[in-house]
Every structure is written in C-alpha cells, then in structure tokens.
Amino acid sequence: MKFYSTKGKNKLVPFREAVIKSLPEDNGLYFPESIPVLSPDFFSSLKSLTLPEIGIEVMKHFCNEDVPSNKLEEIMKDVLSFEIPLVKVTDHISSLELFHGPTYAFKDVGARFLARCLGYFNESDNRKVTILVATSGDTGGAVAAGFYKVPGVKVIILYPSGKVSELQEKQLTTLGENITALEIDGDFDDCQALVKTAFLDKVVNEKLALSSANSINIARWLPQSIYFYEAFKQLENPNNAVFAVPSGNYGNITAGMLAKKMGLPIHRFIAASNANDIIPRYIKNGTYEIKPTIATLSNAMDVSNPSNFPRMMELYHQDWEAIKKNIQGFTLDDHTTLQTMAECFKDHHYTLDPHGAIGYQSLKGSLDETEHGIFLETAHPCKFIDTVEQALNREVPLPDFVSDLMQKQNESIKLDKSFESFKNFLLD
Ligand SMILES: *Cc1c(COP(=O)(O)O)cnc(C)c1O
C-alpha cells in the first residue's frame, strides 16, 4: 500500500515515508492509494476476535510493506492493551468509552501506534527525529505519554496558554526527559499554524529531521478506525448503527468513515460539534467558511479549520451530496452541554464529559425507532472535573491517579505566537 497527497495524486510514497514525513511537500495530507475492503470472514468472526486481533486485521493492509507481521502483532498488542467497552446508557444509546488508556482520552491509541512505528523505523536510522505537536488539549498528553523515553525521538508540544484544563496541562508539562512543552500565547489554530510553517521552512528542515504527531499523521489517523469495529463487536444488534462523534480536527470521524468504506456496515454518522461548527454548516449549505475559533467547555474541539477536512472530501470524492447523505451535522452550545450532563446523570446515572455530552445529545433528537446510537465518549470526565462539578452541581472526587499528577511541577517554556520566536527556539 502506498500513499498519495490529497493535493496531487501522482507521487506515491510508502507507509514508512508517509509516517516519518507526516505532511507531503505540497501541504496536502497523505491518503491511501486504495481503500481495502475486509473479507466477509473477518466481519462474521468479529465477535470472537480480541481488540489487538482486530487492530492487526485492519492495519496490516496499510503497513505490511514496511512493518513485518510479527512486528505489527507486537505493536498492536502493546498499543491496544486496555479495554474499549461499549456501555449502555439508555435502551437506544450506548457510550463507546475510549478513555481507558494511559492519558484517559481517545488519542492514546493513535499516539501510541505512531510512537511505536517511529521507534521501529528509527532503529535503522541514526538521525534523531524531532516531533512537533500542536495540541488543543488531549493530543499533547497522549503524545507525551506515547513517546516518553522512546530512544532517538525528541518531542516538542505547543499548547495554547490558558486554554487547556489544569489536568491536561500537567499531563504535557511534567514529564521532562525527551518531552518539551511550549506554552504559546495564542489559540490552538495559532499553535497548529506554527507547526505547519516549521514543516515548510527550509532552514529548520536542514537542521532537524521533523515529524509530526498530530492527527494528520497517517499513523495517528488510521488506527482510530479500530474503535468502530470494536463497537460493532459489542453491539447486540448491529443493524442501523448510528455513530455520533464529538469532533474538532475530524480525525476520529473520518477514521470511522474509512471503516465504513472498508466494509463496516455503519448506517450513518453525526458530526457532533460545539460552537465551532464549520462542518455542520458545510453539510447544511455546501460552503466551507472559516470563522474565528470560539473557546468552549469542550475545548479539545475548539477548532475552526479542521485539518482532516481534505480527507473527508477525498473519502466522498469531493461530493457534497454524498457527504450530506452519510453525515448529519449537530452543534450544541455550552449552556445546553451542561444541561445535558446534568440530565444524563439524573436520568441514567451516567457521567458524561463535555465532549461526549455533545455526542450523546446529538443522538437524543435524531434516532428513529430502528436505529441504535453510539456516541464516542472521548475523554474521562475527570479530565474536565470543573465542568462536571458545575453541571452536576456537586463535588466529584478525583481519582487517585489524578491527585498524584497534580502534585507535579509544570516545566513548560513560554513563547509568543510569532514564527520568529518558534524558529529561534528550534534552531537554538
Ligand atoms: C481530540 C478530541 C476530540 C476531537 O477529535 P478529532 O479527531 O480532532 O475530531 C474530541 N474529544 C476529545 C476529548 C478530544 O481529545
């Protein structure tokens, strides 16, 4: 399997190169040259497969030229070493809990897969790789944990000052070793722009072997599709499954769309967004209009120009009508998000985080009686404890793993949002 750029299909690169480079020179996104359809045997035996077995079956088509099968098996067992349970919240709605990994949010799987792939590729390469990551919250922690102490890899994380939760900040700023956190005086889009500019900067690229761990990297993006198979495995009735995906950069939901193209019979998707509703607006009227980023309670989704949009277009052959048919948009403001969290707890004794809450609410108004809704619960509620307490109007005790982390020292470096400052830091 080779990969092309969404901006030009004539240059194909192998998996290894796409992972190491992260972004093609033309500033598009890597995309598989063809989408494999999994065998009927795989789907009929899904219920008897373990999570790593599903992961291997899905991922081997993309990386078998560069990652031998025994290595892929080792990587997948290591990456998928925690559960992804499907929990019934109401008769018609289930929560796919993606927060049982080391940093309590769904980005662990992609980040760990990327870290292990790069570590493996780096064994035969003596140039040190520098990973640049812009994070709106959870990516940073997942990447930091995924790469912590991986030999030959240095990680630089950029996060928007004052716009991530205290716990998220601790997760990305306290590790040390090969992990450096930069606190940028700007928003997530500024952080993302700095990373993009660095990749295109000649001087920086001569000095450093840059790679990215954002959801734009195919090694981050592709394994997210595994969640959707794992959900199907646990569904009592797999007919008419509707997936509501709380979305920011649209990596997770486009990975679900990929799973559908690979044969998983997903009925339809809901792109669940907060006030940063560019995709719901696009689905509605066919125009992609970027507006300034709005800060919300579901801050991991505060993205005004989602970087995976070109992949969505590619999956549906640039056809707005096709997108409209498969995906419904949904948007929820902060006030109603809090209400949703309170109601869900009161009625069903299920604690939602503010991101999952938007997914849950999007299903409530949308399912017909033949459908079963699954929302992706993308973070552990304790990652957004202030919001949870505000919504439930009572104190919620922090689990022990959080209290330990909160004691640690923040070691981030502050920078303004100019590329000059960032470049000087990189070249220093
Ligand atoms: C990253 C993140 C999202 C958004 O996922 P995308 O793949 O960027 O759309 C949603 N919820 C949480 C908790 C996240 O960390």
Side-chain angles (χ1 to χ4, degrees):
M1 172 77 71
K2 301 276 193 297
F3 297 82
Y4 62 75
S5 164
T6 51
K7 285 201 176 160
K9 300 196 178 176
N10 28 27
K11 191 175 174 245
L12 293 173
V13 302
F15 180 74
R16 179 190 167 112
E17 188 180 331
V19 172
I20 292 173
K21 279 177 65 179
S22 202
L23 268 179
E25 276 116 19
D26 62 12
N27 209 10
L29 295 179
Y30 283 119
F31 196 84
E33 61 174 329
S34 63
I35 295 177
V37 175
L38 302 178
S39 72
D41 278 358
F42 167 72
F43 289 108
S44 57
S45 61
L46 201 56
K47 287 222 184 295
S48 63
L49 299 179
T50 64
L51 178 57
E53 282 167 347
I54 293 174
I56 293 164
E57 220 30 62
V58 172
M59 290 307 295
K60 70 178 185 193
H61 302 275
F62 299 105
C63 58
N64 56 7
E65 286 174 36
D66 297 290
V67 185
S69 56
N70 59 341
K71 189 72 205 179
L72 181 64
E73 191 179 327
E74 182 191 315
I75 290 176
M76 282 305 20
K77 281 190 176 150
D78 194 23
V79 167
L80 298 167
S81 58
F82 45 85
E83 300 219 309
I84 301 181
L86 185 71
V87 177
K88 235 178 178 181
V89 178
T90 76
D91 283 347
H92 304 286
I93 299 177
S94 304
S95 166
L96 185 66
E97 294 185 348
L98 301 178
F99 56 72
H100 295 276
T103 67
Y104 325 112
F106 83 89
K107 293 185 176 73
D108 280 322
V109 167
R112 281 151 68 88
F113 182 70
L114 171 62
R116 278 147 192 81
C117 286
L118 277 178
Y120 170 63
F121 296 150
N122 215 44
E123 284 171 12
S124 54
D125 193 342
N126 40 27
R127 204 166 162 212
K128 205 173 178 141
V129 178
T130 301
I131 311 261
L132 299 182
V133 202
T135 183
S136 56
D138 286 324
T139 304
V143 168
F147 280 94
Y148 186 54
K149 293 186 179 170
V150 171
V153 183
K154 189 172 151 52
V155 178
I156 298 171
I157 299 167
L158 293 81
Y159 71 97
S161 181
K163 296 199 170 66
V164 302
S165 79
E166 208 180 334
L167 171 63
Q168 287 173 330
E169 188 166 23
K170 288 286 182 186
Q171 283 182 331
L172 36 114
T173 60
T174 59
L175 288 167
E177 298 268 351
N178 59 331
I179 315 290
T180 306
L182 301 180
E183 181 177 349
I184 304 293
D185 190 13
D187 60 26
F188 171 68
D189 291 281
D190 294 321
C191 296
Q192 190 148 264
L194 286 175
V195 169
K196 280 207 161 192
T197 312
F199 275 104
L200 302 171
D201 188 278
K202 247 194 141 126
V203 183
V204 171
N205 282 275
E206 272 159 20
K207 174 133 195 258
L208 302 171
L210 290 185
S211 189
S212 151
N214 272 353
S215 53
I216 48 179
N217 193 302
I218 50 162
R220 283 272 321 272
W221 179 56
L222 295 169
Q224 300 180 70
S225 64
I226 297 165
Y227 309 142
F228 297 83
Y229 300 88
E230 180 64 20
F232 259 79
K233 176 177 118 180
Q234 297 174 56
L235 273 175
E236 279 162 30
N237 175 7
N239 293 326
N240 289 345
V242 178
F243 279 89
V245 187
S247 294
N249 248 330
Y250 283 74
N252 210 355
I253 194 169
T254 47
M257 295 166 186
L258 178 72
K260 180 168 180 177
K261 294 255 155 162
M262 290 173 75
L264 193 68
I266 296 172
H267 185 48
R268 62 187 175 92
F269 292 95
I270 301 176
S273 86
N274 58 28
N276 299 282
D277 61 347
I278 184 162
I279 299 290
R281 281 186 284 115
Y282 171 76
I283 292 169
K284 201 163 174 193
N285 57 27
T287 48
Y288 188 80
E289 188 201 351
I290 302 168
K291 293 186 178 173
T293 313
I294 300 165
T296 74
L297 294 174
S298 45
N299 64 31
M301 304 180 350
D302 291 351
V303 183
S304 54
N305 184 13
S307 53
N308 283 291
F309 181 63
R311 285 192 173 125
M312 185 189 289
M313 294 304 282
E314 202 63 29
L315 280 160
Y316 291 101
H317 310 290
Q318 326 292 325
D319 179 359
W320 172 63
E321 296 285 346
I323 291 180
K324 223 171 124 93
K325 228 172 88 189
N326 282 280
I327 309 142
Q328 188 193 333
F330 179 84
T331 166
L332 201 67
D333 63 33
D334 277 351
H335 176 72
T336 323
T337 302
L338 290 169
Q339 260 180 6
T340 301
M341 293 165 74
E343 273 171 27
C344 182
F345 186 77
K346 185 170 139 276
D347 296 344
H348 309 292
H349 303 287
Y350 190 82
T351 309
L352 294 161
D353 99 293
H355 305 78
I358 299 179
Y360 170 79
Q361 188 62 30
S362 75
L363 290 167
K364 284 202 86 173
S366 143
L367 296 173
D368 70 33
E369 63 274 22
T370 69
E371 292 176 320
H372 189 83
I374 298 129
F375 66 97
L376 274 52
E377 183 39 295
T378 48
H380 193 296
C382 80
K383 288 197 92 165
F384 301 91
I385 195 83
D386 295 346
T387 306
V388 172
E389 290 188 338
Q390 188 188 345
L392 307 190
N393 198 17
R394 61 189 187 97
E395 259 187 60
V396 178
L398 276 176
D400 289 346
F401 55 75
V402 181
S403 326
D404 292 349
L405 185 62
M406 298 310 262
Q407 307 299 322
K408 294 194 184 156
Q409 189 69 28
N410 177 340
E411 290 175 6
S412 64
I413 297 167
K414 289 192 180 186
L415 282 187
D416 63 60
K417 64 181 181 184
S418 73
F419 184 64
E420 263 330 286
S421 308
F422 183 46
K423 187 169 173 175
N424 289 337
F425 171 83
L426 290 174
L427 297 176
D428 200 1

